[in-house]
């Protein structure tokens, strides 16, 4: 059976393959992780350019640069590209790179499937990009692709649906790999209740992906058959119901929020203890909090639908369930702060991004609790307050945690040190301009400015101008990051094996840069909670 | 990789793939589930007869005006209009009104009307006893017909609501879907 050789690929060949073949036929988890990270960074820049187009149009009221149809395509593709092209692949890439090193596995469980998971992504991204130039342009129904808008548009929508199928398949395969690797390939001594929080977060995220990406694939398939094959799932005239689309979409959509947040929690739970030089406070409660967030995330979807005419009893249920999910999240924030409490902290770039994450993610979480109140949501639904809320969660949450992860593990990945000066500049620059961009959006939403419009009433002008200036400066700041990475890859000072004296998980016990084939033989481990290595023997690496 | 480990990995791979496939099926299963839930709770029951309100002791009848309206889905070649735009009545009384529908095309067209109410809190209190929206309506080319609508606005209508708007949106039933849906 073909699956047998999938399982056994990646072993038996040693030494790095050279040239294009190394990447095209990559089966090494580090190579595939790098591919994921570079791909998601390209997507981050593409989605960012779309965001800047949006902000340029919104600098002044009236229509400046783009017609409303094109503007709608920008908002839609910005969302889709950032969610499915940038954030999710970036976390999968991080997991690919670091998980085997952190739990003492030789590689990911299914090396050849891993290759497929990655190489499905560029065609999907190409479909999304090319949809701009087909007749009718790209999908313009918002990233949620609500019916009946999405059942009406041109072939750009079909390309988007197909792209979602491909990206969904990719993420499901990536998740299967992560689950099997974590459950079956941990080194002796690395027990589940001792392994690093990043592994826990990746594990639960992978389960969420397997549970909900097929639901998304299903619902966009229904849109596709409504469009072309005469079904009427979402067409009121044919006995269907557009509200049904929203229910199925958000059954996927809310767990998706945690798919983009849990890995961030995992990363921060590694970085904070390393720079506070204290063990993670409340490790077991972190594990339970992460799991209960995973379970609860399936029971809150209709908080996105308070204005669809739900009965009051249902509104109350989803309102209280949503508030309830803030409790385990609050436990996490408490634990991170308690970890820092009386720690001997130092503020290198990864720590700065992690602390920035806690601060800004908490703001995003609180505006989320505000929105969970059904009576308030009726006012704020579809306004810029919502835009402000989810950008605090996704930019200052997911993105900042990814920056923390890149800076934290950069020395281990590349064997070189990044420029700390540029890293700190990148952080403070991002922190400042992020807030300049998104904080005014709270006010805009409270004052009644709707999202997804190219034009607005005059009284919204000042806050929009502030947000636009902030967005362009924030975008500019990301070039500092790119420059720092590119320069440090070539010219960075050689990194020691342990660049952070407080870091004590398994990946810091292997040479720097990480050998091409690490843990060819599993080590014997004695570990404490959060993957802190107490004793290590054996474990062989090969270049 | 050792053989037992490889086969353990494969077993887990199979189970996870199965889970993903089941969740894909679950997405499709939500369609009948949604119908069943809407049916059981009566949430979406907008095109069936409501039955008379129970005698509401302690509530007195009061005057209420009913504003009538109709729109057609883009592309439906019908003219749908109420014969009066405003009806004065009392809560608890039978109110009878009439709609006229003309098929302006030279083809046979089947349509389905969906009612809605403003303000939304009035919806639960308007009880339709007879309505052309209870079933699909087939029109031959050029045909005109009048439909009586009989309803009762029950006495529990919230205080402060003294005017209710009843509007119909009429959709064309795609061929192949006739006789389904409602
Ligand atoms: Cu949600």
């Amino acid at each position: 059976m073909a699956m047998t050789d999938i399982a056994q690929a990646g072993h038996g060949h040693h030494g790095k393959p050279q040239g294009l073949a190394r990447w095209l036929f990559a089966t090494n988890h580090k190579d595939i992780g790098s591919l994921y990270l570079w791909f998601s960074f390209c997507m981050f820049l593409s989605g960012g350019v779309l965001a800047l187009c949006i902000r340029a149009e919104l600098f002044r009221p009236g229509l400046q640069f783009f017609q409303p149809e094109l503007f709608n395509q920008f908002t839609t593709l910005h969302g889709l590209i950032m969610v499915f092209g940038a954030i999710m692949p970036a976390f999968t890439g991080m997991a690919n790179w670091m998980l085997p090193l952190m739990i003492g596995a030789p590689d990911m469980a299914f090396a050849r499937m891993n290759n497929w998971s990655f190489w499905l992504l560029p065609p999907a991204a190409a479909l999304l990009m090319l949809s701009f130039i087909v007749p009718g342009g790209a999908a313009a129904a918002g990233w949620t692709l609500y019916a009946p808008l999405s059942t009406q548009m041109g072939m750009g929508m079909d390309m988007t649906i197909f792209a979602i199928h491909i990206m969904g398949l990719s993420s499901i395969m990536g998740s299967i790999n992560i689950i099997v690797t974590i459950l079956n390939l941990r080194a002796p001594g690395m027990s589940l209740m001792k392994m690093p929080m990043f592994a826990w977060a990746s594990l639960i995220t992978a389960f969420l992906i397997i549970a909900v990406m097929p639901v998304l694939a299903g619902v966009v398939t229904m849109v596709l058959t409504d469009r072309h094959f005469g079904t009427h799932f979402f067409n009121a005239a044919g006995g269907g119901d557009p509200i049904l689309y929203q229910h199925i979409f958000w059954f996927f959509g809310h767990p998706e929020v945690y798919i983009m947040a849990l890995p961030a929690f995992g990363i921060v739970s590694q970085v904070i203890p390393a720079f506070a030089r204290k063990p993670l406070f409340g490790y077991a409660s972190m594990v339970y909090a992460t799991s209960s967030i995973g379970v609860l995330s399936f029971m809150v979807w209709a908080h996105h639908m308070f204005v669809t005419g739900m009965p009051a009893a249902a509104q109350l249920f989803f309102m209280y369930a949503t508030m309830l999910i803030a409790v385990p999240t609050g436990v996490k924030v408490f634990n991170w702060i308690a970890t820092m409490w009386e720690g001997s902290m130092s503020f290198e770039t990864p720590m700065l991004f992690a602390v920035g994450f806690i601060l800004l993610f908490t703001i995003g979480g609180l505006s989320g609790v505000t929105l969970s109140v059904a009576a308030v949501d009726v006012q704020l639904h579809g306004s810029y307050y919502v835009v402000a809320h989810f950008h605090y969660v996704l930019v200052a949450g997911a993105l900042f945690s990814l920056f923390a992860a890149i800076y934290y593990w950069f020395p281990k990945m590349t064997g070189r040190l990044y420029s700390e000066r540029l890293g700190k500049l990148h952080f403070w620059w991002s922190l400042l301009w992020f807030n300049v961009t998104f904080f005014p959006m709270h006010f805009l939403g409270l004052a009644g400015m709707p999202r997804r419009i190219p034009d607005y009433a005059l009284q919204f002008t000042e806050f929009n101008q502030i947000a636009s200036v902030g967005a362009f400066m924030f975008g500019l700041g990301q070039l500092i990051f790119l420059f720092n990475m590119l320069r440090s890859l070539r010219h960075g000072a050689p990194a020691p094996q342990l660049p952070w004296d407080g870091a004590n998980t398994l990946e810091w016990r292997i040479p720097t840069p990480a050998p091409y084939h690490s843990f060819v033989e599993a080590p014997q481990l004695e570990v404490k909670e959060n993957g802190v290595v107490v004793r290590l023997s054996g474990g062989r690496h090969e270049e | 990789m050792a053989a037992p480990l490889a086969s353990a990995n494969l077993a887990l791979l199979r189970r996870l793939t199965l889970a993903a496939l089941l969740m894909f099926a679950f997405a499709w299963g939500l369609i009948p589930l949604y119908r069943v839930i809407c049916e059981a709770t009566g949430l979406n029951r907008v095109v069936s007869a409501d039955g008379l309100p129970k005698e509401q002791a302690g509530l007195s009848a009061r005057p209420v005006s009913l504003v009538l309206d109709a729109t057609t889905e883009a592309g439906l070649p019908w003219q749908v209009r109420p014969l009066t735009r405003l009806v004065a009545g009392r809560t608890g009384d039978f109110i009878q009104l009439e709609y006229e529908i003309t098929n302006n095309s030279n083809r046979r067209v089947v349509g389905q009307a969906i009612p809605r109410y403003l303000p939304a809190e009035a919806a639960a209190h308007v009880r339709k006893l007879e309505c052309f929206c209870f079933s699909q309506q087939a029109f031959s080319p050029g045909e005109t017909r009048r439909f009586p609508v009989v309803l009762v606005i029950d006495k529990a209508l919230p205080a402060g609501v003294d005017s209710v708007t009843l509007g119909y949106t009429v959709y064309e039933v795609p061929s192949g879907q006739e006789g389904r849906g409602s």
Side-chain angles (χ1 to χ4, degrees):
Chain A
M1 200 179 154
M3 286 192 172
T4 321
D5 44 73
I6 294 176
Q8 285 160 356
H11 299 273
H13 63 76
H14 285 284
K16 278 180 210 175
Q18 293 302 316
L20 192 63
R22 171 176 174 191
W23 304 109
L24 215 49
F25 306 120
T27 50
N28 182 291
H29 71 101
K30 301 182 185 77
D31 286 349
I32 292 174
S34 303
L35 284 171
Y36 264 111
L37 291 174
W38 280 110
F39 170 82
S40 56
F41 191 72
C42 293
M43 287 291 101
F44 170 63
L45 293 184
S46 323
V49 168
L50 293 178
L52 294 185
C53 291
I54 293 169
R55 284 318 317 171
E57 178 58 52
L58 290 175
F59 186 71
R60 292 171 63 192
L63 296 182
Q64 268 70 239
F65 304 108
F66 308 112
Q67 287 306 302
E69 292 77 13
L70 186 58
F71 183 89
N72 287 346
Q73 297 171 25
F74 288 162
T75 52
T76 304
L77 270 279
H78 164 70
L80 289 171
I81 287 175
M82 287 305 200
V83 168
F84 296 109
I87 296 178
M88 287 175 65
F91 282 133
T92 314
M94 233 40 251
N96 257 293
W97 237 110
M98 300 318 300
L99 275 182
L101 303 184
M102 297 176 91
I103 61 174
D107 202 306
M108 298 298 277
F110 303 103
R112 224 170 271 168
M113 185 169 84
N114 211 8
N115 175 292
W116 271 102
S117 316
F118 174 75
W119 281 109
L120 283 174
L121 287 174
L127 270 177
L128 283 180
M129 293 299 184
L130 286 176
S131 70
F132 274 112
I133 58 169
V134 301
W143 84 279
T144 51
L145 305 176
Y146 272 8
L149 265 181
S150 55
T151 53
Q152 295 170 17
M153 292 174 167
M155 68 180 287
M157 181 61 71
D158 300 316
M159 295 168 79
T160 303
I161 290 172
F162 196 38
I164 287 177
H165 282 142
I166 301 176
M167 291 185 293
L169 191 61
S170 155
S171 61
I172 290 169
M173 283 162 47
S175 300
I176 290 180
N177 233 327
I178 287 173
I179 293 174
V180 176
T181 305
I182 292 177
L183 291 186
N184 285 3
L185 297 189
R186 278 169 290 120
M190 180 66 74
S191 66
L192 276 179
M193 282 311 284
K194 293 278 191 315
M195 72 179 182
M197 271 316 293
F198 181 63
W200 262 111
S202 299
L203 179 68
I204 292 169
T205 304
F207 275 116
L208 288 183
I209 287 178
I210 287 178
V212 299
M213 284 308 285
V215 175
L216 176 67
V219 78
V220 295
T221 307
M222 292 170 208
V223 170
L224 195 71
T225 62
D226 266 16
R227 290 166 58 80
H228 296 296
F229 304 109
T231 58
H232 300 280
F233 295 118
F234 309 126
N235 180 1
D241 189 343
I243 299 292
L244 172 62
Y245 177 89
Q246 298 189 25
H247 278 292
I248 309 180
F249 179 85
W250 286 112
F251 184 85
F252 145 82
H254 194 86
E256 171 68 17
V257 171
Y258 289 97
I259 288 168
M260 295 187 281
L262 292 183
F265 297 168
I267 288 166
V268 170
S269 301
Q270 304 303 136
V271 171
I272 297 277
F275 293 91
R277 292 163 182 81
K278 272 178 64 189
L280 181 68
F281 182 89
Y283 170 83
S285 68
M286 286 298 224
V287 172
Y288 296 130
T290 312
S291 319
S292 51
I293 289 173
V295 174
L296 284 174
S297 70
F298 288 99
M299 301 185 212
V300 296
W301 77 91
H303 63 206
H304 297 269
M305 302 169 55
F306 283 146
V307 297
T308 56
M310 272 196 290
Q315 292 196 19
L316 284 174
F317 171 81
F318 286 108
M319 171 173 135
Y320 288 129
T322 305
M323 290 175 171
L324 191 66
I325 212 169
V327 174
T329 314
V331 167
K332 287 176 159 292
V333 173
F334 177 86
N335 284 349
W336 291 322
I337 294 172
T339 306
M340 291 189 279
W341 187 260
E342 295 193 330
S344 47
M345 287 197 283
S346 59
F347 294 94
E348 288 86 352
T349 311
M351 182 62 162
L352 287 175
F353 271 105
V355 176
F357 164 92
I358 297 177
L359 179 72
L360 297 178
F361 184 87
T362 305
I363 295 178
L366 287 175
S367 58
V369 176
T370 310
L371 286 168
S372 78
V373 182
V376 176
D377 181 78
V378 171
Q379 293 291 316
L380 296 177
H381 186 93
S383 77
Y384 256 82
Y385 192 89
V386 179
V387 177
H389 156 67
F390 67 71
H391 282 90
Y392 267 79
V393 178
L394 290 179
V395 179
L399 183 64
F400 273 29
S401 82
L402 280 161
F403 284 140
I406 297 277
Y407 285 114
Y408 182 55
W409 283 310
F410 185 87
K412 187 55 66 183
M413 291 168 157
T414 64
R416 292 183 185 276
L417 295 174
Y418 62 85
S419 158
E420 195 63 57
R421 215 164 45 88
L422 285 177
K424 283 185 171 138
L425 177 66
H426 176 220
F427 169 74
W428 288 109
W429 186 282
S430 298
L431 181 81
L432 173 69
W433 295 111
F434 166 82
N435 282 294
V436 172
T437 308
F438 293 107
F439 208 79
M441 292 185 187
H442 290 111
F443 306 135
L444 284 172
L446 288 168
M449 179 169 161
R451 62 192 282 209
R452 294 168 174 158
I453 51 155
D455 187 8
Y456 49 81
L458 292 181
Q459 69 266 31
F460 302 134
T461 309
E462 282 80 7
F463 280 136
N464 269 296
Q465 292 186 332
I466 294 171
S468 288
V469 170
F472 275 89
M473 298 304 272
F474 183 85
L476 201 64
Q478 305 321 307
L479 299 180
I480 306 174
F481 172 73
L482 180 62
F483 174 76
N484 192 1
M485 292 297 111
L486 289 177
R487 204 188 62 163
S488 307
L489 269 173
R490 297 252 167 88
H491 309 294
Q497 179 177 331
L498 187 60
W500 320 115
D501 55 299
N504 44 23
T505 37
L506 185 56
E507 76 273 25
W508 301 107
R509 295 298 196 92
I510 66 176
T512 292
Y516 196 62
H517 296 286
S518 43
F519 297 120
V520 179
E521 267 171 34
Q524 292 290 327
L525 295 171
E526 194 187 321
V527 287
K528 284 197 298 194
E529 287 178 339
N530 204 22
V532 175
V533 178
V534 181
R535 212 174 44 234
L536 165 90
S537 58
R540 191 167 57 81
H541 315 293
E542 283 172 17
E543 268 313 317
Chain B
M1 196 179 295
L5 180 57
S7 68
N9 288 353
L10 277 179
L12 193 49
L13 172 89
R14 276 192 213 104
R15 262 184 285 162
L16 292 168
T17 310
L18 184 69
L21 291 174
L22 285 176
M23 286 312 291
F24 187 73
F26 172 75
W28 294 83
L30 284 174
I31 298 167
L33 188 67
Y34 182 76
R35 292 236 168 93
V36 168
I37 290 175
C38 287
E39 200 56 48
T41 56
L43 275 180
N44 245 359
R45 198 183 298 140
V46 289
V47 287
S48 57
D50 295 311
L52 277 174
K54 287 192 203 80
E55 193 45 51
Q56 289 156 315
L59 291 171
S60 53
R62 60 189 172 93
V64 62
S65 64
L66 187 64
V67 182
L68 303 172
D69 190 19
T71 43
T72 50
E73 174 202 28
L76 175 67
W78 282 11
Q79 192 185 28
V80 184
R81 64 185 187 95
L83 292 186
T84 44
R85 300 208 72 83
L86 189 70
V87 181
R90 292 176 67 78
T91 56
D93 287 356
F94 289 99
I95 299 176
Q96 179 154 9
L97 42 110
E98 230 177 345
Y99 271 74
E100 185 185 86
I101 300 180
T102 306
N103 178 4
N104 286 329
S105 72
N106 51 13
R107 62 187 173 93
R108 182 178 175 272
V109 179
V110 181
Q112 168 72 56
I114 308 281
R116 67 188 289 262
Y117 310 93
L118 280 174
E121 61 258 45
H125 302 285
V126 180
R127 299 176 158 271
K128 293 186 301 306
L129 305 175
E130 188 177 339
C131 177
F132 56 97
C133 60
F134 292 165
S135 63
Q136 297 175 351
Q137 303 294 342
F139 274 69
S140 33
E143 188 185 351
T144 299
R145 263 188 292 168
R146 289 188 176 182
F147 294 97
V149 175
V150 180
L151 53 85
V152 176
I153 299 178
D154 72 35
K155 292 176 187 167
L157 185 72
V161 180
D162 39 37
S163 170
V164 176
T165 302
L166 163 62
Y168 289 98
T169 308
V170 189
Y171 296 92
E172 177 164 0
V173 177
S175 53
Q177 294 293 312
E178 290 164 27
R180 291 178 54 183
S182 47

